[in-house]
Amino acid sequence: MTNENNSVTTKKVPSIYPAKTKIQVTVIFFVVLGIYLFSMTWTQQQMVGGFSGAFQNVFQVIEKFFPPNTAVISAIWGPMVETIQMAIIATTVAAILTVPLALLAAQNVTTFKPLYYITRTFLNLLRTIPDLVLAVIFVGLFGIGLFPGILALIIFSLGILAKLISETIESVDMNPLEAMRASGGNVLQVIWYALIPQVLPQFTSLVLYVFEINIRASVVLGLVGAGGIGLILNQQLGFYNYPNAMMIIILIFVVVIVIEYISTKIREALL
Amino acid sequence: MIEFKDVGLVYPNGTEGLKKINVTINDGEFVVIVGLSGAGKSTFIRSINRLVTPTSGSLLVDNEDILKYRGSDMRKLRTKTGMIFQNYNLVKRSNVLKNVLAGRLGHTSTLRSIFNLHKKEDVGLAYESLQRVNIAEKIYNRADELSGGQQQRVSIARVLTQQPKYILADEPVASLDPPTSHQVMTYLKKINKEDNITTIVNLHFIDMAMEYADRIIGMRAGEVVFDGPVSEVSESTFEEIYGRSIREDDLRGGADES
Ligand SMILES: Nc1ncnc2c1ncn2[C@@H]1O[C@H](COP(=O)(O)OP(=O)(O)OP(=O)(O)O)[C@@H](O)[C@H]1O
Ligand SMILES: [Mg+2]
């Protein structure tokens, strides 16, 4: 109705969206709003004491976390190092495996189409499986410990790395490759002399970036039994030993910040 | 010696790049190929080192039909034909020495080249080549720190290091200013004379073709429409090759400046 009024008073300016779309969007908006309102009141009813009660609960729990128990540092340092090692090993293995996969998944290097499509599809499949799911599966297969965690991280980071690096390879300047081919270089020599120098900085930067992701991911994987500091954190939370858990969280926080800082600095220097 | 015998090339999309080409290029010649854009100059030159493969006829290099070559034969062929490109085609992030050493790839085993185990003679040769084109002082500079003319000299040094029997140059001066163009052409001519390397150069510019060539081959629409020594070439020859009258932009100029 207001629409009609507008079009009478102002000059005939067509609306960006047709009237039908406007109505649809409005209906959807109110439906969504309705769902939110309903779920809010419903949650309220479920929570004893409503929202104020919930917040009170939060404060009570937070209070239990303080002060963190500094005495456990020496005991949790070992698992923390394990977590870092897990990330380092997984990133290194993934970085090595990435090289052939990224080359096969780059259209400008792998001119044999079927091979290119098979590799692409394989990498896409890898990336559809969340790292947590991988960890749960591997923990089920190999039992609790570092090994399933490392395996999950390798597959997870391989999916990301190979994809990103194959795209870097596809964007290189092909002219030097042609020059080396024309001077009698074979496929390996051409890749080594003309391609690698062009992608190496990006490669190193991406590997460091994935390493940062892996540090954080390996903590989370620990929660589902894949070893390292995450496993310990999960145990302490299970025992309701909140001061210990707090200390672990603080340690993880510091380590992640330090590693990310160093890695960012290196990456800045590279590019 | 390079012999084109009824060589034809049809690109996968149906374009006829070369039509029944019959040309013989003798050892030590400095041949310039002229023709309008799309005439087939690049196709002609790139057939010789098999960057493109003619679809009919036979193409003999040193009395062997290179159209039958595969694998290791191809590597041998490319090792004895050096190539110079319009865009220099250097690895921009690598230094000058490394770029020049890449000229030895055809002579070097895969293992050696991957572990950077260059022979002493090869490094010496690379340095000597850089000296010959007066750019030895830039040996450790990254290639992208050099001007266009300097990069093209490095690419000439790369070809020299390859010690080829033939040099193919596809529009080597198209991206350079007139004085630098003459400098580059002068180096190519000098190498042709001193090392007796057969040299085939694609050029757009009539005046440069006249100044540096021993022999001119004119191409139009995939065919050779003129072939003869420079002494037989006049302005009307070019008008025939180009199928139109000569214009200002067919000339590079600047011959006296360098
Ligand atoms: N890869 C290709 N696929 C299909 N057609 C091509 C290909 N390369 C060249 N051609 C065609 O073949 C013909 C000859 O091309 P060529 O590159 O040899 O000409 P040119 O004389 O070198 O031109 P320019 O002076 O512009 O470099 C042109 O019509 C061109 O469009
Ligand atoms: Mg061309």
Side-chain angles (χ1 to χ4, degrees), chain B residues 9-18 33-46 52 86 170-171 202-204 219 221-222:
Chain B
L9 188 151
V10 182
Y11 282 108
N13 67 3
T15 312
E16 269 194 278
L18 298 176
I33 302 179
V34 294
L36 289 176
S37 181
K41 305 183 296 293
S42 298
T43 310
F44 179 92
I45 229 173
R46 294 160 73 88
V52 296
Q86 173 176 346
D170 196 356
E171 312 254 10
N202 285 350
L203 282 181
H204 260 114
M219 293 190 72

Side-chain angles (χ1 to χ4, degrees), chain B:
Chain B
M1 200 161 65
I2 300 171
E3 294 161 271
F4 282 73
K5 290 184 175 168
D6 285 333
V7 172
L9 188 151
V10 182
Y11 282 108
N13 67 3
T15 312
E16 269 194 278
L18 298 176
K19 297 175 194 160
K20 288 240 171 201
I21 303 283
N22 281 291
V23 166
T24 299
I25 292 164
N26 298 308
D27 288 348
E29 276 190 302
F30 194 100
V31 181
V32 168
I33 302 179
V34 294
L36 289 176
S37 181
K41 305 183 296 293
S42 298
T43 310
F44 179 92
I45 229 173
R46 294 160 73 88
S47 296
I48 299 171
N49 62 357
R50 284 285 304 275
L51 284 183
V52 296
T53 303
T55 46
S56 61
S58 54
L59 176 43
L60 309 187
V61 174
D62 299 333
N63 300 314
E64 281 186 49
D65 189 354
I66 62 157
L67 302 187
K68 299 204 175 77
Y69 278 4
R70 324 192 87 253
S72 72
D73 282 338
M74 197 98 99
R75 187 169 150 106
K76 256 183 256 156
L77 169 72
R78 287 176 178 168
T79 303
K80 69 177 175 188
T81 50
M83 191 156 199
I84 290 168
F85 303 83
Q86 173 176 346
N87 299 313
Y88 333 124
N89 294 15
L90 303 177
V91 184
K92 297 196 174 64
R93 297 190 66 98
S94 297
N95 70 25
V96 165
L97 179 63
K98 196 146 189 245
N99 267 293
V100 174
L101 276 169
R104 294 307 289 173
L105 285 183
H107 300 271
T108 311
S109 74
T110 309
L111 221 56
R112 245 182 198 283
S113 47
I114 282 183
F115 290 103
N116 275 325
L117 300 170
H118 301 288
K119 295 195 196 108
K120 267 224 181 69
E121 309 94 88
D122 288 358
V123 182
L125 187 61
Y127 187 66
E128 201 183 297
S129 307
L130 283 165
Q131 279 175 322
R132 286 187 68 185
V133 290
N134 266 317
I135 193 126
E137 77 278 6
K138 301 281 188 198
I139 184 163
Y140 296 120
N141 283 63
R142 262 172 56 155
D144 55 5
E145 293 167 1
L146 306 183
S147 71
Q150 290 172 328
Q151 289 191 44
Q152 195 60 299
R153 271 144 68 197
V154 171
S155 98
I156 295 175
R158 178 172 65 189
V159 161
L160 278 175
T161 310
Q162 189 181 331
Q163 296 188 307
K165 194 169 171 208
Y166 305 96
I167 289 180
L168 312 171
D170 196 356
E171 312 254 10
V173 299
S175 309
L176 302 174
D177 59 25
T180 319
S181 300
H182 282 285
Q183 193 189 35
V184 163
M185 286 306 293
T186 307
Y187 279 122
L188 286 179
K189 184 82 187 187
K190 199 169 143 217
I191 290 159
N192 162 253
K193 288 283 162 287
E194 288 178 0
D195 301 17
N196 197 34
I197 298 176
T198 313
T199 306
I200 306 171
V201 185
N202 285 350
L203 282 181
H204 260 114
F205 303 109
I206 291 170
D207 50 343
M208 295 202 91
M210 293 295 289
E211 186 171 345
Y212 297 99
D214 298 334
R215 169 181 169 191
I216 287 181
I217 293 177
M219 293 190 72
R220 188 171 64 213
E223 287 175 299
V224 170
V225 293
F226 176 86
D227 184 356
V230 176
S231 52
E232 284 176 19
V233 177
S234 67
E235 191 158 310
S236 64
T237 320
F238 282 110
E239 287 179 343
E240 255 166 61
I241 295 170
Y242 285 16
R244 58 162 171 76
S245 54
I246 300 310
R247 298 193 302 236
E248 187 69 13
D249 59 350
D250 296 326
L251 306 172
R252 166 106 296 187
D256 340 322
E257 288 175 56
S258 64

Side-chain angles (χ1 to χ4, degrees), chain A residues 173 175 178 186 189 192-193, chain B residues 46 75 108 110 113 118:
Chain A
D173 174 11
N175 283 339
E178 182 173 55
N186 61 29
Q189 289 174 321
W192 193 254
Y193 271 75
Chain B
R46 294 160 73 88
R75 187 169 150 106
T108 311
T110 309
S113 47
H118 301 288

